[in-house]
């Protein structure tokens, strides 16, 4: 039998959702979906509570502590005020550094992963085994994780000692394999799960709840459509980590940071002159980006580019105070990691996005989150951040960027270890009886 310790929150969320709908006509305050996503997470509720887009809520009803949640949301009813004044009170980038440090030690000591074994002569060895070369490109996080994991001390060949079981197929490599391709990924995953469930006993004991896979390309969000047990039971560590996607379940699944690999140490940022208020460059492949360009394309302080840049991308990041991550076709992008690498404070303009390491790091201490509806207020929001607050944000950017870098072999507290910590947190939500 599988018991999930957080399932009570899922049921509670649905109950609250139903009750709040009944209270709609008694409303005195209106909140955007982005507000509810962010602050319901702070209150410990699941994303389902947050997805009541545009709902109205009564401030006078007391239902299971909902009034306390609504009271905490009240200061954020005005979009012009919710982005400033709430950063400078605490500089700590961890929610609880002491707990993290203690757990991190225990994770290193005891956490064990069993990887389903495959040989070099396997017909799909290119998909199931780590790459021989150094991972590169926009989706390298998937390959880096597997390559580092297989050489780490977390691996065990004794299944009785395993906390979790790794499904080692690579979505990115399946996508480029002419035998599979985009159209065949779902069938491959379905058949893979069927085969391991017949050959090994581990999957059947929990329905896959103590299993996980890693995928960075956005095609991974639909790769499990013919393997529902993976989607709903297993831990999905994916770059396209959005509450909006029906297959992504917050708290069960985790966000894999999308990181463009860079060799060597980060640049010396001491001499960087950041004269631009904000910077964005990218394809216009979503309504959110279209809105950004429409409003700010001719501005002299917010530089919103589309098409080919005339100046080096790195120079633009080094020369800007804020760097914009704007939702494209999917939420996943390497722009946040790029911003951190170059010491630029990231601004996320993407509703429903479950930010990487959100269980560990307090993103409000080193980034800004702007609701997509507030794009016309972007300059006002960014200029409303005081010099003291900005210096704190930028200082914290330099503190956290080591967590958004890949190394082979891994280095303490780098991206690999942070993903392992996220998995370690989730291993305790499954109990085999």
């Amino acid at each position: 039998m599988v018991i999930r310790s957080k399932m009570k929150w899922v049921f509670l969320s649905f109950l609250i959702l139903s009750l709040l709908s009944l209270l709609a006509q008694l409303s005195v305050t209106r909140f955007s979906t982005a507000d509810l996503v962010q602050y319901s997470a702070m209150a410990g509720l699941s994303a389902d509570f947050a997805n009541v887009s545009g709902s109205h809520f009564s401030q006078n009803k007391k239902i299971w502590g909902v009034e306390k949640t609504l009271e905490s949301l009240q200061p954020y009813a005005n979009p012009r005020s919710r982005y400033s004044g709430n950063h400078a009170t605490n500089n700590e980038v961890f929610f609880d550094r002491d707990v993290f440090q203690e757990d991190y030690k225990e994770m290193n000591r005891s956490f064990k992963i069993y990887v389903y074994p495959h040989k070099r002569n396997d017909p799909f060895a290119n998909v199931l085994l780590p790459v021989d070369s150094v991972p590169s490109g926009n989706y390298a996080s998937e390959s880096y994780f597997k390559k580092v994991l297989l050489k780490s001390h977390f691996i065990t060949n004794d299944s009785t000692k395993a906390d979790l079981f790794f499904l080692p197929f690579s979505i990115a490599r399946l996508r480029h394999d002419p035998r599979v391709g985009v159209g065949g990924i779902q069938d491959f995953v379905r058949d893979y799960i069927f085969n391991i469930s017949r050959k090994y006993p581990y999957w059947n004991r929990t329905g896959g709840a103590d299993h996980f896979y890693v995928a960075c390309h956005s095609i991974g969000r639909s790769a499990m459509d013919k393997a529902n047990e993976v989607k709903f039971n297993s831990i999905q560590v994916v770059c396209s980590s959005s509450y909006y996607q029906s297959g992504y379940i917050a708290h069960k699944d985790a966000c894999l940071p999308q990181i463009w690999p860079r060799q060597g140490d980060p640049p010396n940022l001491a001499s960087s002159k950041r004269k631009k208020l904000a910077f964005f460059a990218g394809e216009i492949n979503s309504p959110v980006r279209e809105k950004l360009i429409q409003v700010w394309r001719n501005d002299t302080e917010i530089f919103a580019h589309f098409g080919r840049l005339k100046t080096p991308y790195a120079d633009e990041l080094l020369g800007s105070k804020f760097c914009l991550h704007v939702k494209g076709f999917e939420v996943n992008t390497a722009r946040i990691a790029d911003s951190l690498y170059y010491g630029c404070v990231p601004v996320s303009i993407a509703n429903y996005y479950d930010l990487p390491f959100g269980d560990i790091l307090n993103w409000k201490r080193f980034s800004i989150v702007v609701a997509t509806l507030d794009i016309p207020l972007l300059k006002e929001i960014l200029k409303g951040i005081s010099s003291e607050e900005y210096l704190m944000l930028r200082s914290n950017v330099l503190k956290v960027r080591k967590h958004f870098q890949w190394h082979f072999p891994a280095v303490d507290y780098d991206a690999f270890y942070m993903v392992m910590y996220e998995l370690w947190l989730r291993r305790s939500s499954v109990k085999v009886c």
Side-chain angles (χ1 to χ4, degrees):
M1 180 176 64
V2 180
I3 300 173
R4 290 194 174 278
S5 62
K6 294 183 179 178
M7 285 300 294
K8 62 181 181 181
W9 292 110
V10 176
F11 292 115
L12 177 59
S13 301
F14 280 110
L15 288 171
I16 292 173
L17 178 63
S18 301
L19 287 166
L20 289 175
S21 297
L22 295 175
L23 296 174
Q25 295 181 358
L26 301 176
S27 131
V28 295
T29 304
R30 184 180 180 90
F31 300 101
S32 72
T33 304
D35 294 330
L36 298 175
V37 167
Q38 184 176 2
Y39 295 105
S40 64
M42 291 168 58
L45 300 174
S46 79
D48 298 294
F49 169 74
N51 285 338
V52 200
S53 179
S55 292
H56 294 265
F57 303 103
S58 170
Q59 299 285 323
N60 301 317
K61 300 296 180 180
K62 295 187 177 182
I63 305 172
W64 298 323
V66 173
E67 77 288 354
K68 191 171 183 179
T69 301
L70 295 177
E71 182 181 355
S72 68
L73 290 174
Q74 182 63 31
Y76 301 94
N78 181 354
R80 289 174 171 81
S81 67
R82 66 171 171 260
Y83 299 105
S84 61
N86 61 339
H87 292 271
T89 56
N90 182 355
N91 292 353
E92 181 56 67
V93 297
F94 290 91
F95 285 114
D96 193 319
R97 182 180 292 273
D98 292 338
V99 170
F100 170 72
Q101 294 286 3
E102 192 66 27
D103 285 353
Y104 189 89
K105 292 177 184 177
E106 178 61 23
M107 175 195 74
N108 265 315
R109 186 190 68 80
S110 64
F111 193 32
K112 295 300 177 185
I113 304 292
Y114 180 90
V115 181
Y116 284 100
H118 298 281
K119 297 180 179 180
R120 286 285 174 186
N121 61 356
D122 189 296
F124 284 95
N126 63 312
V127 169
L128 300 167
L129 297 179
V131 295
D132 295 324
S133 59
V134 177
S136 61
N138 206 24
Y139 308 110
S141 292
E142 177 184 308
S143 296
Y144 251 112
F145 177 84
K146 183 160 63 174
K147 188 177 182 70
V148 177
L149 175 64
L150 269 292
K151 294 294 183 180
S152 74
H153 66 278
F154 296 108
I155 295 297
T156 180
N157 293 321
D158 185 349
S159 62
T160 64
K161 295 181 179 179
D163 297 289
L164 293 176
F165 295 77
F166 179 44
L167 304 168
F169 48 76
S170 166
I171 298 299
R173 304 207 89 188
L174 284 168
R175 174 173 168 256
H176 292 293
D177 192 311
R179 297 169 295 177
V180 181
V182 173
I185 292 177
Q186 296 176 3
D187 292 323
F188 180 94
V189 172
R190 178 199 59 201
D191 294 344
Y192 183 85
I193 299 302
F194 177 77
N195 289 332
I196 64 166
S197 67
R198 294 190 66 184
K199 186 175 182 180
Y200 302 95
Y202 320 129
W203 178 273
N204 298 318
R205 293 182 308 181
T206 66
D210 54 0
H211 287 55
F212 73 96
Y213 77 95
V214 172
C216 199
H217 195 281
S218 58
I219 199 70
R221 66 181 175 82
S222 60
M224 307 302 138
D225 283 356
K226 293 184 179 179
N228 283 333
E229 280 188 307
V230 179
K231 182 189 298 186
F232 296 117
N233 293 350
S234 301
I235 302 167
Q236 303 179 103
V237 185
V238 293
C239 289
S240 55
S241 50
S242 171
Y243 296 135
Y244 184 74
Q245 300 297 343
S246 60
Y248 183 82
I249 304 173
H251 307 306
K252 175 182 78 69
D253 301 328
C255 180
L256 179 70
Q258 188 164 339
I259 301 169
W260 189 280
R262 293 180 172 86
Q263 301 300 317
D265 295 329
N268 182 359
L269 304 176
S271 60
S272 299
K273 296 181 179 179
R274 301 183 183 273
K275 297 181 179 180
K276 297 177 181 178
L277 179 63
F279 164 74
F280 169 81
E283 295 182 17
I284 309 306
N285 56 4
S286 73
V288 181
R289 291 188 180 182
E290 288 178 2
K291 183 66 174 178
L292 180 81
I293 297 299
Q294 175 188 346
V295 176
W296 298 111
R297 65 182 300 175
N298 296 318
D299 195 77
T300 58
E301 295 178 280
I302 294 178
F303 290 78
H305 296 269
F306 64 95
R308 184 176 294 275
L309 279 172
K310 296 180 180 179
T311 54
Y313 181 59
D315 289 351
E316 295 290 349
L317 297 176
L318 285 168
S320 303
K321 293 176 66 177
F322 297 96
C323 294
L324 309 181
H325 156 53
V326 187
K327 181 187 181 301
F329 177 71
E330 296 292 346
V331 296
N332 51 301
T333 173
R335 284 180 179 81
I336 286 182
D338 291 344
S339 301
L340 298 173
Y341 184 85
Y342 288 103
C344 184
V345 176
V347 178
S348 178
I349 308 178
N351 295 348
Y352 314 109
Y353 186 28
D354 193 12
L355 289 160
F357 313 139
D359 299 318
I360 313 165
L361 300 175
N362 187 347
W363 281 80
K364 293 202 302 181
R365 301 292 179 254
F366 59 93
S367 74
I368 304 295
V369 177
V370 175
T372 56
L373 290 175
D374 291 339
I375 286 175
L377 301 174
L378 182 59
K379 184 187 289 190
E380 185 176 349
I381 290 166
L382 297 182
K383 285 198 164 186
I385 296 171
S386 68
S387 297
E388 178 186 8
E389 187 176 356
Y390 172 76
L391 290 175
M392 183 275 289
L393 291 169
R394 187 164 176 268
S395 174
N396 285 341
V397 162
L398 303 183
K399 291 178 185 177
V400 302
R401 65 179 180 171
K402 66 182 178 182
H403 305 309
F404 294 82
Q405 293 175 304
W406 293 105
H407 302 91
F408 184 75
V411 175
D412 249 346
Y413 304 108
D414 71 355
F416 170 76
Y417 276 102
M418 296 294 279
V419 173
M420 290 301 292
Y421 184 78
E422 289 276 27
L423 287 168
W424 187 82
L425 290 176
R426 284 155 176 76
R427 102 281 177 219
S428 62
S429 65
V430 179
K431 182 179 179 181
V432 181
C433 300

